[in-house]
Amino acid sequence: MPQAPVVIGVDSSTQSTKALLADAETGRALAVGRAPHRVDGSAGARESDPELWWRALGEAVAAGLKEAGVAASAVTGIAVAGQQHGLVVLDRAGRPLRPALLWNDTRSAPQAAALTEELGGPAVWTARTGSVPVAAVTAAKWRWLYENEPAHASAAAGVRLPHDFLTERLAGTAATDPGDASGTGWYATATGSYDPALLELIGLDGRLLPEVAATGATRVGSLTASAAEALGLPAGIAVAAGTGDNMAAAVGLGLGGAGLLDHPVLSLGTSGTVFAATRTRPASPALSGFAATDGTFLPLACTLNCTLAVDRVAALLGLGRDDAEPGGEAVLLPYLDGERTPDLPTAAGLLTGLRHATTGPQLLGAAYEGAVFTALRALDDLLHVCGLDAAGAAARPLRLIGGGARGRTWVETVRRLSGRPLIVPRATELVALGAAALAAAAVSGADPVATAAAWGTGEGTALDPVARDTAAWEHIASVLDRAAPVLR
């Protein structure tokens, strides 16, 4: 019996690569191969060697093929979704000149502030690109490299995002997509193209950048012979442009022009993100006004400190993840890596309200509350940008994804502080599934959001709302508002 066609969706994240093999017709996940990454750096530095991403991709694909028990000849397409914003600089042979500067590298905070002022302030940036530069944005990282490592900047023959780097290794084509490009700080969401004036401002030659494909599902090439040999896949299969991880997660949830619009999502991972697909071009300095990968927009707010920060607090207290209780008087803002939303790149964690009666489980609960509050407060701005009134926003369910969505305490903390109905999708690898939908669409020519919606990847468990803990919300809000000037 002939093997049904298979596509591979790759999630190249901060900490690992996942290669999901899916039935191209039904979206059924056949296997997920995994391989770890290494992140180096301290005192704000966060770097990874892109060659290790490529090696991890090969290991993850091999593991996925073995687990699925399918012939490599059944694979018809592949797409990569990658961590956003990272800066990869290449030599003329396509090799990295130095380790990539990752999204959570905060050394570029001064450069972000300087760029904001040089163009005329946050409102000008928002009108031009949809976003105001923060330390995470690639433009600030390029300016940091330009000022601190001029030899590397002048030697660069190519500048890529993490997913661009891997896509180029697959297809031999320098390509990106509107979604990931919109997170660079040199892409104008108003025109859907690189902005020459912004490139001049940051000192970057536009000829070093990849071409922007129409969508993340655009077929930008075929798997080269050398890449096929490295991955154990057939040469010539379709390679999609791919996209950023948040854009892929939106596709995996069926969010976009051919699916759900103005439906909010909260992702609980190393970072916490809130986003929604909308036809309204976002224009709020409080948000990242990204493009989606299908031609709509994806306003998004990102916090640096989410599951990893709370896990660190649990480890310091010697507690398990679910040993938490509501924080009571204690407020713990777990800004262990600085913070992006609100924009506090040099902040450290803050604990206040400690009493003799305060328990360890309460401190852990306060860390959960601090992380969830920070994300949900950003959600309020996002819903406003989407044009939803308060009543409509409260009635529309919040989709909860990421590793934290599988944790009881995370889910219950979100329910208690939001007071909203929740949907927890059954699929656990939405970024990789979204990438798989891009790969399938690159093969078939179909719309990737419609493909994912037909697969049903966004369906899951519905949770009714509970009474909102307004006392805890207002207490945390008061602490953050008073502490923000000190934390800057």
Side-chain angles (χ1 to χ4, degrees):
M1 182 176 179
Q3 171 71 54
V6 173
V7 290
I8 297 178
V10 177
D11 174 7
S12 180
S13 70
T14 313
Q15 300 182 71
S16 67
T17 292
K18 301 172 186 176
L20 183 144
L21 279 70
D23 184 303
E25 296 175 356
T26 67
R28 181 172 67 91
L30 306 174
V32 181
R34 294 174 170 83
H37 295 169
R38 191 182 77 236
V39 178
D40 299 314
S42 60
R46 296 291 185 274
E47 301 182 346
S48 287
D49 180 359
E51 293 291 354
L52 297 182
W53 300 337
W54 176 244
R55 190 180 308 165
L57 174 55
E59 293 171 358
V61 167
L65 286 169
K66 182 177 180 180
E67 180 184 338
V70 300
S73 59
V75 178
T76 58
I78 186 169
V80 176
Q83 55 178 304
Q84 287 188 251
H85 305 306
L87 176 66
V88 182
V89 288
L90 304 177
D91 65 16
R92 294 187 182 279
R95 294 185 298 263
L97 286 166
R98 70 177 313 285
L101 299 172
L102 303 184
W103 64 274
N104 54 350
D105 189 313
T106 58
R107 290 175 292 177
S108 49
Q111 286 74 24
L115 287 172
T116 301
E117 293 305 312
E118 288 170 20
L119 193 64
V124 179
W125 275 96
T126 301
R128 201 78 159 256
T129 70
S131 306
V132 179
V134 293
V137 171
T138 325
K141 297 184 186 307
W142 174 261
R143 172 66 74 85
W144 181 92
L145 188 77
Y146 189 85
E147 294 177 355
N148 291 273
E149 299 180 10
H152 283 138
S154 62
V159 172
R160 305 287 184 266
L161 295 167
H163 112 262
D164 305 342
F165 170 77
L166 292 172
T167 300
E168 188 169 7
R169 282 289 176 92
L170 294 172
T173 304
T176 190
D177 84 299
D180 215 3
S182 68
T184 59
W186 56 67
Y187 177 91
T189 54
T191 62
S193 61
Y194 296 133
D195 189 318
L198 293 178
L199 292 171
E200 183 178 358
L201 178 69
I202 65 173
L204 177 59
D205 185 342
R207 292 174 294 182
L208 303 182
L209 300 175
E211 293 293 322
V212 183
T215 74
T218 301
R219 181 170 181 164
V220 295
S222 302
L223 193 67
T224 66
S226 59
E229 182 178 0
L231 301 182
L233 295 175
I237 66 171
V239 177
T243 191
D245 51 5
N246 290 299
M247 292 77 190
V251 172
L253 288 165
L255 271 58
L260 297 171
L261 290 169
D262 300 327
H263 280 249
V265 178
L266 169 55
S267 176
L268 300 168
T270 302
S271 62
T273 56
V274 290
F275 59 88
T278 177
R279 294 198 186 279
T280 303
R281 181 175 174 267
S284 168
L287 301 176
S288 294
F290 295 140
T293 198
D294 72 333
T296 58
F297 295 98
L298 197 75
L300 178 149
C302 178
T303 67
L304 289 183
N305 301 277
C306 196
T307 58
L308 199 62
V310 173
D311 282 352
R312 179 57 180 156
V313 173
L316 289 171
L317 295 170
L319 297 174
R321 290 174 175 170
D322 290 322
D323 291 338
E325 298 174 359
E329 288 188 67
V331 173
L332 203 168
L333 302 176
Y335 300 164
L336 307 189
D337 286 315
E339 191 44 79
R340 175 173 168 179
T341 307
D343 186 19
L344 301 168
T346 62
L350 176 69
L351 171 63
T352 187
L354 197 63
R355 301 289 186 183
H356 283 289
T358 305
T359 65
Q362 285 177 320
L363 290 182
L364 180 56
Y368 275 101
E369 291 169 353
V372 168
F373 169 88
T374 303
L376 289 177
R377 202 183 213 194
L379 177 62
D380 292 340
D381 286 321
L382 184 146
L383 294 173
H384 177 72
V385 167
C386 290
L388 295 177
D389 60 26
R396 191 155 292 186
L398 175 63
R399 283 166 169 79
L400 200 61
I401 65 172
R406 307 297 153 184
R408 175 178 58 82
T409 303
W410 280 109
V411 173
E412 291 308 312
T413 304
V414 172
R415 292 182 79 192
R416 182 165 59 86
L417 291 185
S418 72
R420 299 175 60 91
L422 303 183
I423 293 177
V424 182
R426 283 186 291 273
T428 59
E429 302 294 349
L430 286 164
V431 172
L433 275 169
L438 296 178
V443 174
S444 68
D447 184 284
V449 174
T451 297
W455 288 352
T457 55
E459 298 171 359
T461 302
L463 300 174
D464 293 331
V466 298
R468 189 179 189 186
D469 190 342
T470 55
W473 179 273
E474 291 171 359
H475 183 41
I476 300 168
S478 174
V479 169
L480 177 56
D481 290 344
R482 287 182 285 117
V486 179
L487 293 172
R488 292 188 190 281

